[in-house]
Structure formats: structure tokens, C-alpha cells
Amino acid sequence: MNQTNTTIPVITIDGPSGVGKGTLSHALANHFGWHLLDSGAIYRVLALSALDHHLSLDDENRLAQLALNLSLTFDTHDDEAKVLLDGLDVSQDIRREEVGGTASKIAALAKVRTALLQRQRDFRQLPGLIADGRDMGTVVFSDAPVKIFLDASAKSRAERRMNQLRSKQICATFDEILQEITARDVRDRNRTVAPLKPAEDALIIDTTSLSISDVFEQSINYINNRHIM
Ligand code: DC
């Protein structure tokens, strides 16, 4: 399939790292019984594959070729969705900070983004799609009828990330995490192709001092008022 069915509803959830997009997107996909696109996971799998192949992160053509040929599957049979690269479960591996940092670097390359465009649009299947990323509302699904952009201070996102890592018994200092999040923000917001920014018609929610259920409730109220289903 090389087309996108624009009659199928999409809700886009964009925002910076660690803002709670994943949590909100999962909750909305469960609530509506819709498909879920974790576009960051696609960039992360590509980054992992580039690291495995020892590709230079400046070699745009080879990285774009790798992106086109990426053997990537999302296995959604279990409660916890698995991400497979060449049939191997890489769900844990792609969450490493090194992989996230590399994903952010190669995501700045225009040819890489173009190579991944149709793969992302193919997720638009009935009954609907929740699309989580950086440019879902501005580029990939710019015609989406509902767009939400989550934001929060870098400090509060670093605190959340540190708590997540601690709960998984992974050691990291607050300063290291804050530095990594800030560096990723600068790259993702300032790149020339598809920079991280809210779509003009997006609802912006600052989650700095909101609970997960507050964010969910605000989003559901907004979506219901848009009458898209
Ligand atoms: O959401 P995440 O942290 O898993 O994404 C990892 C990186 O991938 C992020 O720093 C930038 C890039 N990315 C992107 O450029 N566009 C997207 N739609 C999703 C992710």
C-alpha cells in the first residue's frame, strides 16, 4: 500500500522527550480501541541498526538506505508491545540513552525522514490511529483532525526519567539525565527538517504540574468536543 486513507481518523500526540507522550498515547489507544504508532521506536530501531552496522552518523545516503530496508515489526499480541529488528526482540535495547541520542542525531537527516514517511503513514488503519512523535501533527499526519502537543520543563522531565530509571534499578545521576534531555531538545527543536514544534492547530498542554490522569482527562474532553468519531 503506497497511499494513505485520509478518511481514517488520527489523533497526533507530539512533544519533547520524557513529557509523557507514550503514557498518554497508550491510554488513548486503549480507551478508543485504536492502533498506536510509536514513531520514536522506529527512529530508535534505525539508530540501533546503524550502531550495529558501525555506520557513520554523517553518511546520510547509507542511513536512508538502511531506513528503507529496515526489517522492523511491532508485535502487539501481548499486553506489552514488542519491537522486533530482523526478528529479534530489541524492545529493551532501543530504550538505552545511547540509542535515544543516536536516534535524535540521525532524525535530523532529511533523506532518513523521507525514507521513513510511508512506513509511518501505513499505520493509519481502521478504526483509527493514535500517533506519538515529534512531527506527527506538522508533517506525517498534517491533516489529522485532532492534534495535541505536550510540553513540560526540562527539569521536571529529567526528574520523571530518573524515577523511571530508578524503578528499573538503572543508575544515573540527575545532572547526566538533565544534560542528555537538554541536548536532545536542542537538536530536535532546531533541526531544519521537521523540527519539534506544535502544529498551528494543536492543543498545547503543559504537563509540568499535572498528573497522568489530569492530562488524560484534558485530552479526552478536548477530543470529545471535536466530534471526530
Ligand atoms: O520519542 P523518542 O524519545 O523515542 O524518540 C527518539 C528520537 O527520535 C528523538 O530524540 C527524535 C527522533 N524522533 C523524531 O525525530 N521524530 C519522531 N516522529 C519521533 C522521534
Side-chain angles (χ1 to χ4, degrees):
M1 188 179 81
N2 224 17
Q3 281 179 335
T4 301
N5 189 341
T6 52
T7 59
I8 298 175
V10 185
I11 297 172
T12 60
I13 312 291
D14 288 304
S17 326
V19 77
K21 299 184 303 279
T23 308
L24 176 63
S25 300
H26 271 101
L28 291 175
N30 280 337
H31 180 83
F32 293 117
W34 284 11
H35 300 282
L36 175 65
L37 165 61
D38 174 2
S39 61
I42 299 180
Y43 284 93
R44 283 171 181 267
V45 170
L46 176 62
L48 185 65
S49 185
L51 290 169
D52 285 351
H53 287 92
H54 305 288
L55 291 192
S56 155
L57 302 185
D58 298 323
D59 193 341
E60 185 165 0
N61 287 330
R62 282 197 71 191
L63 288 165
Q65 202 56 41
L66 189 67
L68 278 177
N69 297 322
L70 203 61
S71 163
L72 162 67
T73 330
F74 286 92
D75 178 350
T76 50
H77 287 102
D78 296 331
D79 279 353
E80 190 101 331
K82 285 193 187 114
V83 186
L84 309 179
L85 169 61
D86 294 321
L88 290 177
D89 183 358
V90 293
S91 319
Q92 301 296 325
D93 258 5
I94 60 167
R95 297 294 152 202
R96 291 187 347 239
E97 291 300 318
E98 182 201 9
V99 178
T102 305
S104 159
K105 285 179 193 150
I106 61 181
L109 303 171
K111 288 181 185 170
V112 166
R113 301 199 75 85
T114 305
L116 293 178
L117 209 47
Q118 191 59 42
R119 195 186 280 268
Q120 296 173 83
R121 288 185 174 149
D122 286 346
F123 278 78
R124 193 170 192 168
Q125 302 283 341
L126 285 170
L129 176 68
I130 307 294
D132 161 347
R134 302 289 190 291
D135 61 341
M136 298 294 101
T138 49
V139 176
V140 183
F141 303 108
S142 54
D143 64 326
V146 175
K147 301 177 184 177
I148 296 174
F149 189 93
L150 301 185
D151 215 343
S153 69
K155 201 165 155 268
S156 75
R157 288 183 282 128
E159 265 159 21
R160 286 179 204 164
R161 179 61 53 88
M162 195 168 72
N163 291 337
Q164 264 173 4
L165 291 175
R166 285 206 175 142
S167 70
K168 292 181 194 158
Q169 261 116 51
I170 300 172
C171 287
T173 68
F174 177 78
D175 286 348
E176 270 167 8
I177 298 173
L178 183 60
Q179 213 175 20
E180 170 61 29
I181 278 191
T182 311
R184 205 119 70 88
D185 277 3
V186 168
R187 267 198 305 269
D188 293 347
R189 290 183 202 267
N190 295 315
R191 65 185 178 218
T192 42
V193 213
L196 169 67
K197 63 171 183 192
E200 276 175 15
D201 49 348
L203 168 75
I204 300 176
I205 304 178
D206 187 330
T207 72
T208 307
S209 49
L210 295 181
S211 67
I212 292 167
S213 54
D214 289 337
V215 178
F216 180 73
E217 208 172 302
Q218 278 196 29
S219 304
I220 286 288
N221 287 341
Y222 180 68
I223 294 163
N224 288 341
N225 284 333
R226 308 283 296 183
H227 305 292
I228 60 163
M229 56 196 108

